[in-house]
Coordinates of all heavy atoms in Angstrom, one line a residue:
M22 N -3.0 6.7 -1.0 CA -1.7 7.2 -1.5 C -0.9 6.0 -1.9 O -0.7 5.0 -1.2 CB -1.0 7.9 -0.3 CG 0.3 8.5 -0.7 SD 1.0 9.5 0.5 CE 2.5 8.7 0.8
M23 N -0.4 6.1 -3.1 CA 0.5 5.0 -3.6 C 1.9 5.2 -3.2 O 2.4 6.4 -3.2 CB 0.3 4.9 -5.1 CG -1.1 4.7 -5.6 SD -2.1 3.4 -4.8 CE -1.2 2.0 -5.4
L24 N 2.6 4.2 -3.0 CA 4.0 4.3 -2.6 C 4.9 4.1 -3.8 O 4.6 3.5 -4.8 CB 4.4 3.2 -1.6 CG 3.6 3.3 -0.3 CD1 4.0 2.0 0.6 CD2 4.0 4.5 0.5
D25 N 6.1 4.6 -3.7 CA 7.1 4.4 -4.7 C 7.5 2.9 -4.7 O 7.7 2.4 -3.6 CB 8.4 5.3 -4.4 CG 9.6 5.0 -5.2 OD1 9.4 5.1 -6.4 OD2 10.6 4.7 -4.6
P26 N 7.7 2.3 -5.8 CA 8.0 0.9 -5.8 C 9.3 0.5 -5.0 O 9.3 -0.5 -4.4 CB 8.1 0.5 -7.3 CG 7.3 1.5 -8.0 CD 7.4 2.8 -7.2
K27 N 10.3 1.4 -5.1 CA 11.5 1.2 -4.4 C 11.3 1.2 -2.9 O 11.9 0.5 -2.1 CB 12.6 2.2 -4.7 CG 13.0 2.2 -6.2 CD 13.9 1.1 -6.5 CE 14.4 1.2 -8.0 NZ 14.9 0.0 -8.5
S28 N 10.3 2.0 -2.4 CA 10.0 2.1 -1.0 C 9.3 0.8 -0.5 O 9.6 0.4 0.6 CB 9.0 3.3 -0.7 OG 9.6 4.5 -1.1
V29 N 8.5 0.3 -1.4 CA 7.9 -1.0 -1.0 C 8.9 -2.1 -0.8 O 8.9 -2.8 0.1 CB 6.8 -1.4 -2.1 CG1 6.3 -2.8 -1.9 CG2 5.7 -0.4 -2.2
K30 N 9.9 -2.1 -1.7 CA 11.0 -3.1 -1.7 C 11.8 -2.9 -0.4 O 12.1 -3.8 0.4 CB 11.9 -3.0 -2.9 CG 13.0 -3.9 -2.9 CD 13.9 -3.8 -4.2 CE 15.0 -4.7 -4.2 NZ 15.8 -4.5 -5.5
E31 N 12.1 -1.6 -0.1 CA 12.9 -1.3 1.1 C 12.1 -1.6 2.4 O 12.7 -2.0 3.4 CB 13.4 0.1 1.1 CG 14.5 0.4 0.1 CD 15.6 -0.6 0.2 OE1 16.2 -0.7 1.4 OE2 16.1 -1.1 -0.8
S32 N 10.8 -1.5 2.4 CA 10.0 -1.8 3.6 C 10.0 -3.2 3.9 O 9.8 -3.6 5.0 CB 8.6 -1.2 3.4 OG 7.9 -2.0 2.5
L33 N 10.3 -4.1 2.9 CA 10.3 -5.5 3.1 C 11.8 -6.1 3.2 O 11.9 -7.3 3.4 CB 9.6 -6.2 1.9 CG 8.1 -6.0 1.8 CD1 7.6 -6.4 0.5 CD2 7.4 -6.7 2.9
R34 N 12.7 -5.2 3.1 CA 14.1 -5.6 3.1 C 14.5 -6.6 4.2 O 15.2 -7.5 4.1 CB 15.0 -4.4 3.1 CG 16.5 -4.7 3.2 CD 17.3 -4.8 2.0 NE 17.0 -4.1 0.9 CZ 17.2 -4.5 -0.4 NH1 17.6 -5.8 -0.6 NH2 16.9 -3.8 -1.4
H35 N 14.0 -6.3 5.4 CA 14.4 -7.1 6.6 C 13.4 -8.2 7.0 O 13.5 -8.8 8.0 CB 14.6 -6.1 7.8 CG 15.7 -5.1 7.6 ND1 17.0 -5.5 7.5 CD2 15.6 -3.8 7.3 CE1 17.7 -4.4 7.2 NE2 16.9 -3.4 7.1
A36 N 12.4 -8.3 6.1 CA 11.4 -9.4 6.3 C 12.0 -10.7 5.9 O 12.9 -10.7 5.1 CB 10.1 -9.1 5.5
N37 N 11.5 -11.8 6.4 CA 12.0 -13.1 6.0 C 11.3 -13.5 4.6 O 10.4 -12.9 4.2 CB 11.8 -14.2 7.0 CG 10.4 -14.5 7.3 OD1 9.5 -14.6 6.4 ND2 10.0 -14.6 8.6
L38 N 11.9 -14.5 4.0 CA 11.4 -14.9 2.7 C 9.9 -15.2 2.7 O 9.2 -14.9 1.7 CB 12.3 -16.0 2.1 CG 12.1 -16.4 0.7 CD1 12.3 -15.2 -0.2 CD2 13.1 -17.5 0.3
T39 N 9.5 -15.9 3.7 CA 8.1 -16.3 3.8 C 7.2 -15.1 3.8 O 6.1 -15.0 3.1 CB 7.8 -17.2 5.0 OG1 8.7 -18.3 4.9 CG2 6.4 -17.6 5.1
E40 N 7.5 -14.1 4.5 CA 6.7 -12.8 4.6 C 6.7 -12.1 3.2 O 5.7 -11.6 2.8 CB 7.2 -11.9 5.7 CG 7.1 -12.5 7.1 CD 7.8 -11.7 8.1 OE1 8.9 -11.1 7.8 OE2 7.4 -11.7 9.3
I41 N 7.8 -12.1 2.6 CA 7.9 -11.4 1.3 C 7.1 -12.1 0.3 O 6.4 -11.5 -0.5 CB 9.4 -11.3 0.8 CG1 10.2 -10.5 1.8 CG2 9.5 -10.7 -0.6 CD1 11.7 -10.6 1.6
I42 N 7.1 -13.5 0.3 CA 6.3 -14.2 -0.6 C 4.8 -14.0 -0.4 O 4.0 -13.9 -1.3 CB 6.7 -15.7 -0.6 CG1 8.1 -15.9 -1.2 CG2 5.7 -16.6 -1.3 CD1 8.7 -17.3 -1.0
K43 N 4.4 -13.9 0.9 CA 3.0 -13.6 1.2 C 2.6 -12.3 0.6 O 1.5 -12.2 0.0 CB 2.8 -13.6 2.7 CG 2.7 -15.0 3.3 CD 2.5 -14.9 4.8 CE 2.5 -16.3 5.4 NZ 2.3 -16.2 6.9
E44 N 3.4 -11.3 0.7 CA 3.1 -10.0 0.1 C 3.1 -10.1 -1.4 O 2.2 -9.5 -2.0 CB 4.1 -8.9 0.6 CG 3.9 -7.5 0.0 CD 2.6 -6.9 0.5 OE1 1.9 -7.5 1.4 OE2 2.2 -5.9 -0.1
R45 N 4.0 -10.8 -2.0 CA 3.9 -11.0 -3.5 C 2.6 -11.6 -3.9 O 2.0 -11.2 -4.8 CB 5.1 -11.9 -3.9 CG 5.1 -12.2 -5.4 CD 5.8 -13.4 -5.8 NE 5.1 -14.6 -5.1 CZ 5.7 -15.8 -5.1 NH1 6.8 -16.0 -5.6 NH2 5.0 -16.8 -4.5
D46 N 2.2 -12.7 -3.2 CA 1.0 -13.4 -3.5 C -0.2 -12.4 -3.3 O -1.2 -12.5 -4.1 CB 0.8 -14.6 -2.6 CG 1.8 -15.7 -3.0 OD1 2.5 -15.6 -4.0 OD2 2.0 -16.6 -2.2
R47 N -0.2 -11.6 -2.3 CA -1.3 -10.6 -2.1 C -1.4 -9.7 -3.3 O -2.5 -9.4 -3.8 CB -1.1 -9.8 -0.8 CG -2.3 -8.9 -0.5 CD -1.9 -7.9 0.6 NE -0.9 -7.0 0.2 CZ -1.2 -5.9 -0.6 NH1 -2.4 -5.7 -1.1 NH2 -0.2 -5.1 -0.9
I48 N -0.3 -9.2 -3.7 CA -0.3 -8.3 -4.9 C -0.7 -9.0 -6.2 O -1.5 -8.4 -6.9 CB 1.1 -7.6 -5.0 CG1 1.4 -6.7 -3.9 CG2 1.2 -6.9 -6.4 CD1 2.8 -6.1 -3.8
I49 N -0.3 -10.2 -6.3 CA -0.8 -11.0 -7.5 C -2.3 -11.1 -7.5 O -3.0 -11.0 -8.5 CB -0.1 -12.3 -7.6 CG1 1.4 -12.1 -8.0 CG2 -0.7 -13.3 -8.6 CD1 2.3 -13.4 -7.9
R50 N -2.9 -11.4 -6.3 CA -4.3 -11.5 -6.2 C -5.0 -10.2 -6.6 O -6.0 -10.2 -7.3 CB -4.8 -11.9 -4.8 CG -4.5 -13.4 -4.5 CD -5.2 -13.8 -3.2 NE -4.7 -13.0 -2.0 CZ -3.7 -13.3 -1.3 NH1 -2.9 -14.4 -1.6 NH2 -3.3 -12.6 -0.2
E51 N -4.5 -9.1 -6.2 CA -5.0 -7.8 -6.6 C -4.9 -7.5 -8.1 O -5.9 -7.0 -8.7 CB -4.3 -6.6 -5.8 CG -4.6 -6.6 -4.4 CD -6.0 -6.2 -4.1 OE1 -6.6 -5.3 -4.7 OE2 -6.6 -6.9 -3.2
I52 N -3.8 -7.9 -8.7 CA -3.6 -7.8 -10.1 C -4.6 -8.6 -10.9 O -5.3 -8.2 -11.8 CB -2.2 -8.1 -10.5 CG1 -1.2 -7.1 -10.0 CG2 -2.0 -8.3 -12.0 CD1 0.3 -7.5 -10.1
R53 N -4.8 -9.9 -10.4 CA -5.7 -10.8 -11.1 C -7.2 -10.3 -11.0 O -8.0 -10.4 -11.9 CB -5.6 -12.2 -10.5 CG -4.4 -12.9 -11.0 CD -4.3 -14.3 -10.5 NE -3.1 -15.0 -11.0 CZ -2.5 -15.9 -10.3 NH1 -2.9 -16.3 -9.2 NH2 -1.4 -16.5 -10.9
K54 N -7.5 -9.7 -9.8 CA -8.9 -9.2 -9.6 C -9.1 -8.1 -10.7 O -10.2 -8.1 -11.3 CB -9.0 -8.6 -8.2 CG -10.4 -8.1 -7.8 CD -10.5 -7.8 -6.4 CE -9.8 -6.5 -6.1 NZ -10.1 -6.0 -4.7
Y55 N -8.2 -7.2 -10.9 CA -8.3 -6.2 -11.9 C -8.5 -6.8 -13.3 O -9.3 -6.4 -14.1 CB -7.2 -5.2 -11.8 CG -7.2 -4.1 -12.9 CD1 -7.9 -3.0 -12.6 CD2 -6.6 -4.3 -14.1 CE1 -8.0 -2.0 -13.6 CE2 -6.7 -3.3 -15.1 CZ -7.4 -2.2 -14.8 OH -7.5 -1.2 -15.8
E56 N -7.6 -7.7 -13.6 CA -7.5 -8.3 -15.0 C -8.8 -9.1 -15.3 O -9.2 -9.2 -16.4 CB -6.3 -9.2 -15.1 CG -5.0 -8.4 -15.1 CD -3.8 -9.2 -15.2 OE1 -3.8 -10.4 -14.9 OE2 -2.7 -8.6 -15.5
K57 N -9.4 -9.6 -14.3 CA -10.7 -10.4 -14.5 C -11.9 -9.5 -14.4 O -13.0 -10.0 -14.6 CB -10.8 -11.5 -13.4 CG -9.8 -12.6 -13.6 CD -10.0 -13.7 -12.5 CE -9.0 -14.8 -12.7 NZ -9.1 -15.8 -11.7
G58 N -11.7 -8.2 -14.2 CA -12.8 -7.2 -14.1 C -13.7 -7.3 -12.9 O -14.8 -7.0 -12.9
K59 N -13.0 -7.8 -11.8 CA -13.8 -8.0 -10.6 C -13.5 -6.8 -9.6 O -13.3 -7.1 -8.4 CB -13.4 -9.3 -9.9 CG -13.8 -10.5 -10.8 CD -13.6 -11.8 -10.1 CE -14.1 -12.9 -11.0 NZ -13.9 -14.2 -10.4
I60 N -13.5 -5.6 -10.1 CA -13.3 -4.5 -9.3 C -14.7 -3.9 -8.9 O -15.6 -3.7 -9.7 CB -12.6 -3.3 -10.1 CG1 -11.3 -3.9 -10.7 CG2 -12.4 -2.1 -9.2 CD1 -10.3 -4.3 -9.7
P61 N -14.9 -3.8 -7.5 CA -16.2 -3.2 -7.1 C -16.4 -1.8 -7.7 O -15.5 -1.0 -7.9 CB -16.1 -3.1 -5.6 CG -15.0 -4.1 -5.2 CD -14.1 -4.1 -6.4
E62 N -17.7 -1.5 -8.1 CA -18.0 -0.3 -8.7 C -17.5 1.0 -8.0 O -17.1 1.9 -8.6 CB -19.5 -0.2 -9.0 CG -19.9 1.0 -9.8 CD -21.4 1.0 -10.1 OE1 -22.0 -0.1 -10.2 OE2 -22.0 2.0 -10.3
E63 N -17.6 0.9 -6.7 CA -17.3 2.1 -5.9 C -15.8 2.4 -6.0 O -15.4 3.6 -5.8 CB -17.6 1.9 -4.4 CG -17.0 0.8 -3.7 CD -17.7 -0.5 -3.7 OE1 -18.7 -0.6 -4.4 OE2 -17.2 -1.4 -3.0
E64 N -14.9 1.5 -6.3 CA -13.5 1.7 -6.5 C -13.2 2.6 -7.7 O -12.2 3.2 -7.8 CB -12.7 0.4 -6.5 CG -12.6 -0.2 -5.2 CD -11.7 -1.4 -5.1 OE1 -10.8 -1.5 -5.9 OE2 -12.0 -2.3 -4.3
F65 N -14.1 2.6 -8.7 CA -13.9 3.4 -9.9 C -14.0 4.9 -9.6 O -13.6 5.7 -10.4 CB -14.9 3.0 -11.0 CG -14.5 1.7 -11.6 CD1 -15.0 0.5 -11.2 CD2 -13.5 1.7 -12.7 CE1 -14.7 -0.7 -11.8 CE2 -13.2 0.5 -13.3 CZ -13.7 -0.7 -12.8
F66 N -14.6 5.2 -8.4 CA -14.8 6.6 -8.0 C -13.8 7.1 -7.0 O -13.9 8.2 -6.5 CB -16.3 6.8 -7.6 CG -17.3 6.4 -8.6 CD1 -18.0 5.3 -8.5 CD2 -17.5 7.2 -9.7 CE1 -18.9 4.9 -9.5 CE2 -18.4 6.9 -10.7 CZ -19.1 5.7 -10.6
R67 N -12.9 6.3 -6.7 CA -11.8 6.6 -5.7 C -10.6 7.2 -6.4 O -10.4 7.0 -7.6 CB -11.4 5.4 -4.9 CG -12.5 4.9 -4.0 CD -11.9 3.7 -3.2 NE -13.0 3.2 -2.3 CZ -12.9 2.0 -1.8 NH1 -11.9 1.2 -2.0 NH2 -13.9 1.6 -1.0
D68 N -9.8 7.9 -5.6 CA -8.6 8.4 -6.2 C -7.4 7.8 -5.3 O -7.4 8.0 -4.1 CB -8.6 9.9 -6.1 CG -7.4 10.5 -6.8 OD1 -6.9 10.0 -7.8 OD2 -6.9 11.6 -6.3
P69 N -6.5 7.1 -5.9 CA -6.3 6.8 -7.3 C -7.3 5.7 -7.8 O -7.8 4.9 -7.0 CB -4.9 6.3 -7.4 CG -4.6 5.7 -6.1 CD -5.4 6.5 -5.1
G70 N -7.6 5.8 -9.1 CA -8.5 4.8 -9.7 C -7.9 3.5 -9.9 O -6.7 3.3 -9.7
P71 N -8.7 2.5 -10.3 CA -8.2 1.1 -10.4 C -7.1 1.0 -11.4 O -6.2 0.1 -11.2 CB -9.5 0.4 -10.9 CG -10.6 1.2 -10.5 CD -10.2 2.6 -10.5
D72 N -7.1 1.8 -12.5 CA -6.0 1.7 -13.5 C -4.6 2.1 -12.8 O -3.7 1.4 -13.0 CB -6.2 2.6 -14.7 CG -7.4 2.2 -15.5 OD1 -7.9 1.0 -15.4 OD2 -7.9 3.0 -16.3
V73 N -4.6 3.1 -12.0 CA -3.4 3.5 -11.4 C -3.0 2.5 -10.4 O -1.8 2.1 -10.3 CB -3.6 4.9 -10.7 CG1 -2.4 5.3 -9.9 CG2 -3.9 6.0 -11.7
V74 N -3.9 2.0 -9.6 CA -3.6 0.9 -8.6 C -3.0 -0.3 -9.3 O -2.0 -0.9 -8.9 CB -4.8 0.6 -7.8 CG1 -4.5 -0.6 -6.9 CG2 -5.3 1.8 -7.0
Y75 N -3.6 -0.7 -10.4 CA -3.1 -1.8 -11.2 C -1.7 -1.6 -11.7 O -0.8 -2.5 -11.4 CB -4.0 -2.0 -12.4 CG -3.6 -3.1 -13.4 CD1 -3.7 -4.4 -13.0 CD2 -3.0 -2.8 -14.6 CE1 -3.3 -5.4 -13.9 CE2 -2.6 -3.8 -15.5 CZ -2.7 -5.1 -15.2 OH -2.3 -6.1 -16.0
Y76 N -1.4 -0.5 -12.3 CA 0.0 -0.3 -12.7 C 1.0 -0.1 -11.6 O 2.1 -0.6 -11.7 CB 0.0 0.9 -13.7 CG -0.6 0.6 -15.0 CD1 -1.8 1.3 -15.4 CD2 -0.1 -0.3 -15.9 CE1 -2.4 1.0 -16.6 CE2 -0.7 -0.6 -17.1 CZ -1.9 0.0 -17.4 OH -2.5 -0.3 -18.6
C77 N 0.6 0.4 -10.5 CA 1.4 0.5 -9.3 C 1.7 -0.9 -8.8 O 2.9 -1.2 -8.4 CB 0.8 1.3 -8.2 SG 0.9 3.1 -8.5
N78 N 0.7 -1.7 -8.7 CA 0.9 -3.1 -8.3 C 1.8 -3.9 -9.2 O 2.6 -4.7 -8.7 CB -0.5 -3.9 -8.2 CG -1.2 -3.5 -6.9 OD1 -0.6 -3.2 -5.9 ND2 -2.5 -3.6 -7.0
L79 N 1.8 -3.6 -10.5 CA 2.7 -4.3 -11.4 C 4.2 -3.9 -11.0 O 5.1 -4.7 -11.0 CB 2.4 -3.9 -12.8 CG 1.2 -4.6 -13.4 CD1 0.9 -4.0 -14.8 CD2 1.2 -6.1 -13.4
S80 N 4.3 -2.6 -10.7 CA 5.7 -2.1 -10.4 C 6.1 -2.7 -9.0 O 7.3 -3.0 -8.8 CB 5.7 -0.6 -10.3 OG 5.4 0.0 -11.5
Y81 N 5.2 -2.8 -8.1 CA 5.5 -3.3 -6.8 C 5.9 -4.8 -6.9 O 6.9 -5.3 -6.3 CB 4.3 -3.3 -5.8 CG 3.8 -1.9 -5.5 CD1 2.5 -1.7 -5.0 CD2 4.6 -0.8 -5.7 CE1 2.0 -0.5 -4.6 CE2 4.1 0.5 -5.3 CZ 2.8 0.6 -4.8 OH 2.4 1.9 -4.5
L82 N 5.2 -5.5 -7.8 CA 5.5 -6.9 -8.0 C 6.9 -7.1 -8.5 O 7.6 -8.0 -8.1 CB 4.4 -7.5 -9.0 CG 4.6 -9.0 -9.3 CD1 4.5 -9.9 -8.0 CD2 3.5 -9.4 -10.3
S83 N 7.3 -6.3 -9.5 CA 8.6 -6.3 -10.0 C 9.7 -6.2 -8.9 O 10.6 -6.9 -8.9 CB 8.8 -5.3 -11.1 OG 10.1 -5.2 -11.6
E84 N 9.5 -5.2 -8.1 CA 10.5 -4.9 -7.0 C 10.5 -6.0 -6.0 O 11.6 -6.4 -5.6 CB 10.2 -3.6 -6.3 CG 10.4 -2.4 -7.2 CD 11.8 -2.2 -7.6 OE1 12.7 -2.5 -6.8 OE2 12.1 -1.6 -8.7
I85 N 9.3 -6.6 -5.7 CA 9.3 -7.7 -4.7 C 9.9 -8.9 -5.3 O 10.6 -9.6 -4.6 CB 7.8 -7.9 -4.3 CG1 7.4 -6.7 -3.4 CG2 7.7 -9.2 -3.5 CD1 5.9 -6.7 -3.0
C86 N 9.7 -9.2 -6.6 CA 10.4 -10.4 -7.2 C 11.9 -10.2 -7.2 O 12.6 -11.2 -7.0 CB 9.8 -10.6 -8.6 SG 8.1 -11.2 -8.6
D87 N 12.4 -9.0 -7.4 CA 13.8 -8.7 -7.3 C 14.3 -9.0 -5.9 O 15.4 -9.6 -5.7 CB 14.1 -7.2 -7.7 CG 14.0 -7.0 -9.2 OD1 13.9 -7.9 -10.0 OD2 14.0 -5.8 -9.5
L88 N 13.5 -8.6 -4.9 CA 13.9 -8.8 -3.5 C 14.0 -10.3 -3.2 O 14.9 -10.8 -2.5 CB 13.0 -8.0 -2.6 CG 13.3 -8.2 -1.1 CD1 14.7 -7.7 -0.8 CD2 12.3 -7.4 -0.3
I89 N 13.0 -11.0 -3.7 CA 13.0 -12.5 -3.5 C 14.2 -13.1 -4.1 O 14.9 -13.9 -3.4 CB 11.7 -13.1 -4.1 CG1 10.5 -12.7 -3.2 CG2 11.8 -14.6 -4.2 CD1 9.1 -13.1 -3.9
Q90 N 14.6 -12.7 -5.3 CA 15.8 -13.2 -5.9 C 17.0 -12.9 -5.1 O 17.9 -13.7 -4.8 CB 15.9 -12.6 -7.3 CG 17.1 -13.2 -8.0 CD 17.3 -12.6 -9.4 OE1 16.5 -11.7 -9.8 NE2 18.2 -13.1 -10.2
E91 N 17.1 -11.7 -4.5 CA 18.2 -11.3 -3.7 C 18.3 -12.1 -2.4 O 19.4 -12.6 -2.0 CB 18.1 -9.8 -3.3 CG 18.3 -8.8 -4.5 CD 18.0 -7.4 -4.1 OE1 18.0 -7.1 -2.9 OE2 17.8 -6.6 -5.0
K92 N 17.1 -12.4 -1.8 CA 17.1 -13.2 -0.6 C 17.5 -14.6 -0.8 O 18.3 -15.2 0.0 CB 15.7 -13.1 0.0 CG 15.3 -11.8 0.6 CD 15.9 -11.6 1.9 CE 15.3 -10.4 2.6 NZ 15.8 -10.1 3.9
I93 N 17.1 -15.2 -1.9 CA 17.5 -16.5 -2.3 C 19.0 -16.6 -2.5 O 19.6 -17.5 -2.1 CB 16.7 -17.0 -3.5 CG1 15.2 -17.2 -3.1 CG2 17.3 -18.3 -4.0 CD1 14.3 -17.5 -4.2
Q94 N 19.5 -15.6 -3.2 CA 21.0 -15.6 -3.5 C 21.7 -15.5 -2.1 O 22.8 -16.2 -2.0 CB 21.3 -14.5 -4.4 CG 21.0 -14.7 -5.8 CD 21.2 -13.5 -6.7 OE1 21.5 -12.4 -6.3 NE2 21.2 -13.8 -8.0
E95 N 21.3 -14.7 -1.2 CA 21.9 -14.5 0.1 C 21.9 -15.8 0.8 O 22.9 -16.2 1.4 CB 21.2 -13.5 0.9 CG 21.4 -12.0 0.5 CD 20.6 -11.1 1.2 OE1 19.9 -11.4 2.2 OE2 20.5 -9.9 0.8
E96 N 20.8 -16.5 0.8 CA 20.7 -17.8 1.5 C 21.6 -18.8 0.9 O 22.3 -19.6 1.6 CB 19.3 -18.4 1.4 CG 18.3 -17.6 2.3 CD 16.9 -18.2 2.3 OE1 16.7 -19.2 1.6 OE2 16.0 -17.6 3.0
Q97 N 21.8 -18.8 -0.5 CA 22.7 -19.8 -1.1 C 24.1 -19.5 -0.8 O 24.9 -20.4 -0.7 CB 22.4 -19.8 -2.6 CG 21.1 -20.4 -3.0 CD 20.8 -20.2 -4.5 OE1 21.5 -19.5 -5.2 NE2 19.8 -21.0 -5.0
E98 N 24.5 -18.2 -0.6 CA 25.8 -17.8 -0.3 C 26.2 -18.2 1.1 O 27.4 -18.4 1.4 CB 26.0 -16.3 -0.5 CG 26.0 -15.9 -2.0 CD 26.0 -14.4 -2.2 OE1 26.0 -13.6 -1.2 OE2 25.9 -13.9 -3.3
E99 N 25.2 -18.3 2.0 CA 25.5 -18.7 3.4 C 25.9 -20.2 3.5 O 26.5 -20.6 4.4 CB 24.3 -18.4 4.2 CG 24.0 -17.0 4.4 CD 22.7 -16.7 5.2 OE1 22.1 -17.7 5.7 OE2 22.4 -15.6 5.4
Y100 N 25.5 -21.0 2.5 CA 25.9 -22.4 2.5 C 27.1 -22.7 1.8 O 27.7 -22.8 1.1 CB 24.7 -23.2 2.0 CG 23.5 -23.2 2.9 CD1 22.4 -22.4 2.5 CD2 23.5 -23.8 4.1 CE1 21.3 -22.3 3.3 CE2 22.4 -23.7 4.9 CZ 21.3 -22.9 4.5 OH 20.2 -22.9 5.4

C-alpha cells in the first residue's frame, strides 16, 4: 500500500534532521534503482507495480526535501 506524500512528510515531522536525511537517501536509492533498470523481475508482477512505486517515491522525495528545508530554517531561527 502506498502512502499519501503528505502523510510521509507528517510521519517524519518530529524526526531529527539526520533521520530525515537518511530517509531521503533511501528513497533516492530506490529511484536510482528504477532509473537504472535494476528492478527484480518479480516486482513487475506485484501490485503496485514498479512504475507506481517510482512515481510515489518521486512525490515522497519532494515532500521530504520540503521538510528538510523547513527543519534547516527552524534551526537557523533558533540562533
Side-chain angles (χ1 to χ4, degrees):
M22 179 172 125
M23 303 307 295
L24 298 173
D25 171 58
K27 299 280 185 202
S28 298
V29 172
K30 181 179 180 180
E31 288 306 312
S32 72
L33 293 168
R34 172 93 34 215
H35 299 291
N37 66 44
L38 190 56
T39 302
E40 294 168 330
I41 298 168
I42 289 171
K43 283 181 185 179
E44 180 62 12
R45 179 206 58 193
D46 292 346
R47 185 192 68 77
I48 291 172
I49 289 172
R50 284 191 301 274
E51 289 294 317
I52 290 169
R53 286 184 177 150
K54 184 171 78 171
Y55 177 89
E56 291 175 344
K57 291 180 179 181
K59 295 184 178 182
I60 305 295
E62 187 176 328
E63 64 270 6
E64 288 188 27
F65 285 95
F66 302 104
R67 292 186 184 160
D68 188 32
D72 292 346
V73 173
V74 173
Y75 174 74
Y76 289 112
C77 285
N78 280 333
L79 290 175
S80 297
Y81 299 161
L82 181 59
S83 175
E84 292 296 326
I85 289 172
C86 287
D87 287 346
L88 182 58
I89 290 171
Q90 182 180 4
E91 290 172 19
K92 291 283 187 175
I93 290 171
Q94 286 176 344
E95 287 173 10
E96 286 181 3
Q97 289 174 347
E98 290 172 0
E99 290 176 3
Y100 294 106

